[in-house]
Amino acid sequence: MTLLGFDYGTRKIGIAVGQAVTGTATPLTTLTAVRDKPDWARIGALIAEWQPSALVVGHPFEMTDNEAEVAERAKRFARQLHGRYRLPVHLVDERLTSREAWTRLGRAAHRDPHRVDAMAAKLILETWFEIAADAPR
């Protein structure tokens, strides 16, 4: 089962692809917003290419367990994904994924900051795999 993961931001959206069988993901790309909206044409092309059975969107939380300011927009993005592509969309806590992405990428993150968003999407997707594996069946 292939899934796509999204690290939603108002200016950039990181995207990763993963396999539920292995529970692993790979950063794909970071898309820049088009006129303050997601690049739906490129998102649609990635969905057509990878044929995912579900999508996972990072749900932004602060360390205080309150939703982050961008959370409502991320949830709206998740609803739009579902509406456009008729795929199941799961939200997963994305707390600290960007920080972890910066750490994992090290110097490469400073040379190409767009890689951070795709790496964060990878971590979001792998978090969902861990949660799904622990869920009762």
Coordinates of all heavy atoms in Angstrom, one line a residue, residues 54-115:
A54 N -3.9 6.1 0.1 CA -4.3 7.1 1.1 C -3.3 8.2 1.2 O -2.2 8.1 0.7 CB -4.5 6.4 2.5
L55 N -3.7 9.3 1.9 CA -2.8 10.5 2.0 C -2.7 10.8 3.5 O -3.7 10.6 4.3 CB -3.4 11.7 1.3 CG -3.8 11.4 -0.2 CD1 -4.5 12.7 -0.8 CD2 -2.6 11.1 -1.0
V56 N -1.6 11.3 3.9 CA -1.4 11.7 5.3 C -0.9 13.1 5.4 O 0.0 13.5 4.7 CB -0.3 10.8 6.0 CG1 -0.1 11.2 7.4 CG2 -0.8 9.3 5.9
V57 N -1.6 13.9 6.2 CA -1.3 15.4 6.3 C -0.8 15.6 7.7 O -1.5 15.2 8.7 CB -2.5 16.3 5.9 CG1 -2.1 17.7 6.2 CG2 -2.9 16.0 4.5
G58 N 0.3 16.4 7.9 CA 0.7 16.8 9.2 C -0.3 17.7 9.9 O -0.7 18.7 9.3
H59 N -0.6 17.4 11.1 CA -1.5 18.3 11.9 C -0.6 19.1 12.9 O -0.1 18.5 13.8 CB -2.5 17.4 12.7 CG -3.6 18.1 13.4 ND1 -4.5 17.4 14.1 CD2 -3.8 19.4 13.5 CE1 -5.4 18.3 14.6 NE2 -5.0 19.5 14.3
P60 N -0.5 20.4 12.7 CA 0.4 21.2 13.5 C -0.1 21.4 14.9 O -1.2 21.9 15.1 CB 0.5 22.5 12.7 CG -0.1 22.3 11.4 CD -1.1 21.1 11.6
F61 N 0.8 21.1 15.9 CA 0.5 21.3 17.3 C 1.7 22.0 17.9 O 2.8 21.9 17.5 CB 0.3 20.0 18.1 CG -1.0 19.4 17.9 CD1 -1.3 18.5 17.0 CD2 -2.1 19.8 18.8 CE1 -2.6 17.9 16.9 CE2 -3.3 19.2 18.7 CZ -3.6 18.3 17.7
E62 N 1.4 22.8 18.9 CA 2.5 23.5 19.7 C 2.9 22.5 20.8 O 2.2 21.5 21.1 CB 2.0 24.8 20.3 CG 1.6 25.8 19.2 CD 1.0 27.1 19.8 OE1 0.6 27.1 21.0 OE2 0.8 28.0 19.1
M63 N 4.0 22.7 21.4 CA 4.4 21.8 22.5 C 3.5 21.8 23.7 O 3.5 20.9 24.5 CB 5.8 22.2 23.0 CG 6.9 22.0 21.9 SD 6.9 20.4 21.1 CE 7.3 19.4 22.5
T64 N 2.6 22.8 23.8 CA 1.6 22.9 24.9 C 0.4 22.0 24.6 O -0.6 22.1 25.4 CB 1.1 24.4 25.0 OG1 0.6 24.8 23.8 CG2 2.3 25.3 25.4
D65 N 0.4 21.3 23.5 CA -0.7 20.5 23.1 C -1.9 21.3 22.5 O -2.9 20.7 22.1 CB -1.3 19.6 24.2 CG -0.3 18.5 24.6 OD1 0.5 18.1 23.7 OD2 -0.4 17.9 25.7
N66 N -1.7 22.5 22.3 CA -2.7 23.4 21.5 C -2.4 23.3 20.1 O -1.2 23.2 19.7 CB -2.6 24.8 22.0 CG -3.1 25.0 23.4 OD1 -4.0 24.3 23.9 ND2 -2.4 25.8 24.2
E67 N -3.4 23.4 19.2 CA -3.1 23.4 17.8 C -2.3 24.7 17.5 O -2.6 25.8 18.1 CB -4.5 23.5 17.0 CG -5.2 22.2 17.0 CD -6.4 22.2 16.1 OE1 -7.0 23.3 15.9 OE2 -6.7 21.1 15.5
A68 N -1.4 24.6 16.5 CA -0.7 25.7 16.1 C -1.6 26.6 15.2 O -2.6 26.2 14.8 CB 0.5 25.2 15.3
E69 N -1.1 27.8 15.0 CA -1.9 28.8 14.3 C -2.3 28.3 12.9 O -3.4 28.6 12.4 CB -1.1 30.1 14.2 CG -1.8 31.3 13.5 CD -1.0 32.5 13.6 OE1 -0.3 32.8 14.6 OE2 -1.0 33.2 12.5
V70 N -1.4 27.6 12.2 CA -1.7 27.1 10.9 C -2.5 25.8 10.8 O -2.9 25.4 9.7 CB -0.3 26.9 10.1 CG1 0.4 25.7 10.6 CG2 -0.5 26.9 8.6
A71 N -2.9 25.3 11.9 CA -3.6 24.0 12.0 C -4.9 24.1 11.2 O -5.2 23.1 10.5 CB -3.9 23.6 13.4
E72 N -5.7 25.1 11.3 CA -7.0 25.2 10.6 C -6.8 25.1 9.1 O -7.5 24.5 8.4 CB -7.8 26.4 11.0 CG -8.4 26.3 12.3 CD -9.4 25.1 12.5 OE1 -10.1 24.8 11.5 OE2 -9.3 24.5 13.5
R73 N -5.7 25.8 8.6 CA -5.4 25.8 7.2 C -4.9 24.4 6.8 O -5.2 23.9 5.7 CB -4.4 26.8 6.8 CG -5.0 28.2 7.0 CD -4.1 29.3 6.6 NE -4.1 29.4 5.1 CZ -3.4 30.3 4.4 NH1 -2.8 31.3 5.1 NH2 -3.4 30.3 3.1
A74 N -4.2 23.7 7.6 CA -3.7 22.3 7.3 C -4.9 21.4 7.2 O -5.0 20.5 6.3 CB -2.7 21.8 8.3
K75 N -5.9 21.5 8.1 CA -7.1 20.7 8.1 C -7.9 21.0 6.9 O -8.5 20.1 6.3 CB -7.9 20.9 9.4 CG -7.2 20.3 10.6 CD -8.0 20.2 11.9 CE -8.3 21.6 12.4 NZ -9.0 21.6 13.7
R76 N -8.0 22.2 6.5 CA -8.7 22.6 5.3 C -8.0 22.0 4.1 O -8.7 21.4 3.2 CB -8.7 24.1 5.1 CG -9.5 24.6 3.9 CD -9.6 26.1 3.8 NE -10.4 26.5 2.7 CZ -9.9 27.2 1.7 NH1 -8.7 27.6 1.7 NH2 -10.7 27.5 0.7
F77 N -6.7 22.0 4.0 CA -5.9 21.4 2.9 C -6.3 19.9 2.9 O -6.5 19.3 1.8 CB -4.4 21.6 3.2 CG -3.5 20.9 2.2 CD1 -3.5 21.2 0.9 CD2 -2.8 19.8 2.7 CE1 -2.7 20.5 0.0 CE2 -1.9 19.1 1.8 CZ -1.9 19.5 0.4
A78 N -6.3 19.2 4.0 CA -6.7 17.8 4.1 C -8.1 17.6 3.5 O -8.3 16.6 2.8 CB -6.6 17.3 5.5
R79 N -9.0 18.4 3.9 CA -10.4 18.3 3.3 C -10.4 18.5 1.8 O -11.1 17.8 1.1 CB -11.3 19.2 4.0 CG -11.7 18.9 5.5 CD -12.8 19.8 6.0 NE -12.5 21.2 6.0 CZ -11.9 21.9 6.9 NH1 -11.4 21.3 8.0 NH2 -11.7 23.2 6.7
Q80 N -9.6 19.4 1.4 CA -9.5 19.7 -0.1 C -8.9 18.5 -0.8 O -9.4 18.1 -1.9 CB -8.7 20.9 -0.4 CG -9.4 22.2 0.0 CD -8.6 23.4 -0.1 OE1 -7.4 23.4 0.2 NE2 -9.2 24.5 -0.5
L81 N -7.9 17.9 -0.2 CA -7.3 16.7 -0.8 C -8.3 15.6 -1.0 O -8.5 15.0 -2.0 CB -6.1 16.2 0.0 CG -4.8 16.9 -0.1 CD1 -3.9 16.4 1.0 CD2 -4.2 16.7 -1.4
H82 N -9.1 15.4 0.1 CA -10.1 14.3 0.0 C -11.2 14.7 -1.0 O -11.6 13.8 -1.8 CB -10.8 14.2 1.4 CG -11.9 13.2 1.4 ND1 -11.8 11.9 1.2 CD2 -13.3 13.4 1.4 CE1 -12.9 11.3 1.2 NE2 -13.9 12.2 1.3
G83 N -11.6 15.9 -1.0 CA -12.6 16.3 -2.0 C -12.2 16.2 -3.4 O -13.0 15.8 -4.3
R84 N -10.9 16.6 -3.7 CA -10.4 16.5 -5.1 C -10.1 15.1 -5.6 O -10.3 14.8 -6.7 CB -9.2 17.4 -5.2 CG -9.4 18.9 -5.2 CD -8.1 19.6 -5.2 NE -8.3 21.1 -5.2 CZ -8.3 21.8 -6.3 NH1 -8.0 21.2 -7.5 NH2 -8.5 23.1 -6.3
Y85 N -9.5 14.3 -4.7 CA -9.0 13.0 -5.2 C -9.7 11.8 -4.6 O -9.4 10.7 -5.0 CB -7.5 13.0 -4.8 CG -6.8 14.2 -5.4 CD1 -6.3 15.2 -4.6 CD2 -6.6 14.3 -6.8 CE1 -5.7 16.3 -5.1 CE2 -6.0 15.4 -7.3 CZ -5.5 16.4 -6.5 OH -4.9 17.5 -7.0
R86 N -10.7 12.0 -3.8 CA -11.5 11.0 -3.2 C -10.7 9.8 -2.6 O -11.0 8.6 -2.8 CB -12.5 10.4 -4.3 CG -13.5 11.4 -4.8 CD -14.4 11.8 -3.7 NE -15.4 12.8 -4.1 CZ -15.8 13.8 -3.3 NH1 -15.4 13.8 -2.1 NH2 -16.7 14.6 -3.8
L87 N -9.7 10.2 -1.9 CA -8.8 9.2 -1.2 C -9.0 9.5 0.3 O -9.2 10.6 0.7 CB -7.3 9.4 -1.6 CG -7.0 9.0 -3.0 CD1 -5.6 9.6 -3.3 CD2 -7.0 7.5 -3.2
P88 N -8.8 8.4 1.1 CA -8.8 8.6 2.5 C -7.6 9.6 2.9 O -6.5 9.5 2.3 CB -8.5 7.2 3.1 CG -8.8 6.3 2.0 CD -8.6 7.0 0.7
V89 N -7.9 10.5 3.8 CA -6.9 11.4 4.3 C -6.8 11.3 5.8 O -7.8 11.5 6.5 CB -7.2 12.9 3.8 CG1 -6.1 13.8 4.3 CG2 -7.3 13.0 2.3
H90 N -5.6 11.1 6.3 CA -5.4 11.0 7.7 C -4.5 12.2 8.2 O -3.6 12.6 7.5 CB -4.6 9.7 8.0 CG -5.3 8.5 7.4 ND1 -6.4 7.8 8.0 CD2 -5.0 7.8 6.3 CE1 -6.7 6.8 7.2 NE2 -5.9 6.8 6.2
L91 N -4.9 12.7 9.4 CA -4.1 13.7 10.0 C -3.2 13.1 11.1 O -3.7 12.2 11.8 CB -5.0 14.7 10.7 CG -5.8 15.7 9.7 CD1 -6.8 16.4 10.5 CD2 -4.9 16.6 9.0
V92 N -2.0 13.5 11.2 CA -1.1 13.0 12.2 C -0.3 14.2 12.8 O 0.1 15.1 12.1 CB -0.2 11.9 11.7 CG1 0.8 12.5 10.6 CG2 0.6 11.2 12.8
D93 N -0.1 14.1 14.1 CA 0.6 15.1 14.9 C 2.0 15.3 14.2 O 2.8 14.3 14.1 CB 0.8 14.7 16.3 CG 1.4 15.7 17.2 OD1 2.0 16.6 16.8 OD2 1.2 15.6 18.5
E94 N 2.3 16.5 13.8 CA 3.6 16.7 13.2 C 4.6 17.4 14.1 O 5.7 17.9 13.6 CB 3.4 17.5 11.9 CG 3.0 18.9 12.1 CD 3.1 19.8 10.9 OE1 2.9 19.3 9.8 OE2 3.4 21.0 11.0
R95 N 4.3 17.5 15.3 CA 5.2 18.2 16.3 C 6.7 17.8 16.1 O 7.0 16.6 16.1 CB 4.7 17.8 17.7 CG 4.8 19.0 18.7 CD 4.2 18.6 20.0 NE 3.0 17.8 19.8 CZ 2.0 17.7 20.7 NH1 2.1 18.4 21.8 NH2 0.9 17.0 20.5
L96 N 7.5 18.7 16.0 CA 9.0 18.6 16.0 C 9.5 17.9 14.7 O 10.7 17.7 14.6 CB 9.5 17.8 17.2 CG 9.3 18.5 18.6 CD1 9.7 17.6 19.7 CD2 9.9 19.8 18.6
T97 N 8.7 17.7 13.7 CA 9.2 17.0 12.5 C 10.1 18.0 11.7 O 11.1 17.5 11.2 CB 8.1 16.5 11.6 OG1 7.2 17.6 11.3 CG2 7.3 15.4 12.2
S98 N 9.8 19.2 11.7 CA 10.7 20.2 11.0 C 12.0 20.3 11.7 O 13.1 20.3 11.0 CB 10.1 21.6 10.8 OG 9.0 21.5 9.9
R99 N 12.0 20.3 13.0 CA 13.3 20.4 13.7 C 14.1 19.1 13.5 O 15.3 19.2 13.3 CB 13.0 20.6 15.2 CG 14.3 20.6 16.0 CD 14.1 20.9 17.5 NE 13.5 22.2 17.6 CZ 13.0 22.7 18.8 NH1 12.9 21.8 19.8 NH2 12.5 23.9 18.9
E100 N 13.5 18.0 13.5 CA 14.2 16.7 13.2 C 14.7 16.7 11.8 O 15.8 16.2 11.6 CB 13.2 15.5 13.5 CG 13.8 14.2 13.2 CD 15.0 13.8 14.1 OE1 15.2 14.4 15.2 OE2 15.8 12.9 13.7
A101 N 13.9 17.2 10.9 CA 14.4 17.3 9.5 C 15.6 18.1 9.3 O 16.6 17.7 8.7 CB 13.2 17.8 8.6
W102 N 15.7 19.3 10.0 CA 16.9 20.1 10.0 C 18.1 19.3 10.5 O 19.2 19.4 10.0 CB 16.7 21.4 10.8 CG 16.0 22.5 10.0 CD1 14.6 22.8 10.0 CD2 16.5 23.4 9.1 NE1 14.4 23.8 9.2 CE2 15.5 24.2 8.6 CE3 17.8 23.6 8.6 CZ2 15.7 25.2 7.6 CZ3 18.1 24.6 7.7 CH2 17.0 25.4 7.2
T103 N 17.8 18.6 11.6 CA 18.9 17.9 12.3 C 19.4 16.8 11.3 O 20.6 16.6 11.2 CB 18.4 17.2 13.6 OG1 18.0 18.3 14.4 CG2 19.5 16.4 14.3
R104 N 18.5 16.0 10.7 CA 18.9 14.9 9.9 C 19.6 15.4 8.6 O 20.6 14.7 8.1 CB 17.7 14.1 9.5 CG 17.2 13.2 10.6 CD 16.2 12.3 10.1 NE 15.6 11.5 11.2 CZ 14.8 10.5 11.0 NH1 14.5 10.0 9.8 NH2 14.3 9.9 12.0
L105 N 19.2 16.5 8.1 CA 19.8 17.0 6.8 C 21.1 17.8 7.1 O 22.0 17.9 6.2 CB 18.8 17.9 6.1 CG 17.7 17.2 5.5 CD1 16.6 18.2 5.0 CD2 18.1 16.3 4.3
G106 N 21.3 18.3 8.3 CA 22.5 19.0 8.6 C 22.8 20.1 7.7 O 22.0 21.0 7.3
R107 N 24.0 20.1 7.1 CA 24.5 21.2 6.2 C 23.7 21.3 5.0 O 23.5 22.3 4.4 CB 26.0 21.0 5.9 CG 26.8 21.3 7.1 CD 28.3 21.3 6.7 NE 29.1 21.6 7.8 CZ 30.3 21.2 8.0 NH1 30.9 20.4 7.1 NH2 31.0 21.5 9.1
A108 N 23.2 20.1 4.5 CA 22.4 20.1 3.3 C 21.1 21.0 3.4 O 20.7 21.6 2.4 CB 22.0 18.7 2.9
A109 N 20.6 21.1 4.6 CA 19.4 21.9 4.9 C 19.7 23.4 4.6 O 18.9 24.1 4.1 CB 18.9 21.7 6.3
H110 N 20.9 23.8 5.0 CA 21.3 25.2 4.8 C 21.5 25.5 3.3 O 21.3 26.6 2.9 CB 22.5 25.5 5.6 CG 22.2 25.5 7.1 ND1 21.4 26.4 7.8 CD2 22.5 24.5 8.0 CE1 21.3 26.1 9.0 NE2 21.9 24.9 9.2
R111 N 22.0 24.5 2.6 CA 22.3 24.7 1.1 C 21.0 24.7 0.4 O 20.8 25.4 -0.6 CB 23.2 23.6 0.6 CG 24.6 23.8 1.0 CD 25.6 22.9 0.2 NE 25.3 21.5 0.4 CZ 25.7 20.7 1.4 NH1 26.5 21.2 2.3 NH2 25.4 19.4 1.4
D112 N 20.0 23.9 0.8 CA 18.7 23.8 0.1 C 17.6 23.6 1.1 O 17.2 22.5 1.4 CB 18.8 22.6 -0.9 CG 17.5 22.5 -1.7 OD1 16.6 23.4 -1.6 OD2 17.4 21.5 -2.5
P113 N 17.1 24.8 1.7 CA 16.0 24.7 2.7 C 14.8 24.0 2.2 O 14.0 23.5 3.1 CB 15.8 26.1 3.1 CG 17.0 26.9 2.6 CD 17.5 26.1 1.4
H114 N 14.5 23.9 0.9 CA 13.3 23.2 0.5 C 13.3 21.7 0.8 O 12.3 21.1 0.9 CB 13.1 23.4 -1.1 CG 12.5 24.7 -1.4 ND1 13.1 25.9 -1.3 CD2 11.2 24.9 -1.9 CE1 12.3 26.9 -1.7 NE2 11.1 26.3 -2.0
R115 N 14.5 21.2 0.9 CA 14.6 19.8 1.3 C 14.1 19.5 2.7 O 13.6 18.4 2.9 CB 16.1 19.3 1.2 CG 16.6 19.3 -0.2 CD 18.1 18.9 -0.3 NE 18.2 17.5 0.2 CZ 19.4 16.9 0.4 NH1 20.5 17.6 0.2 NH2 19.4 15.7 0.9

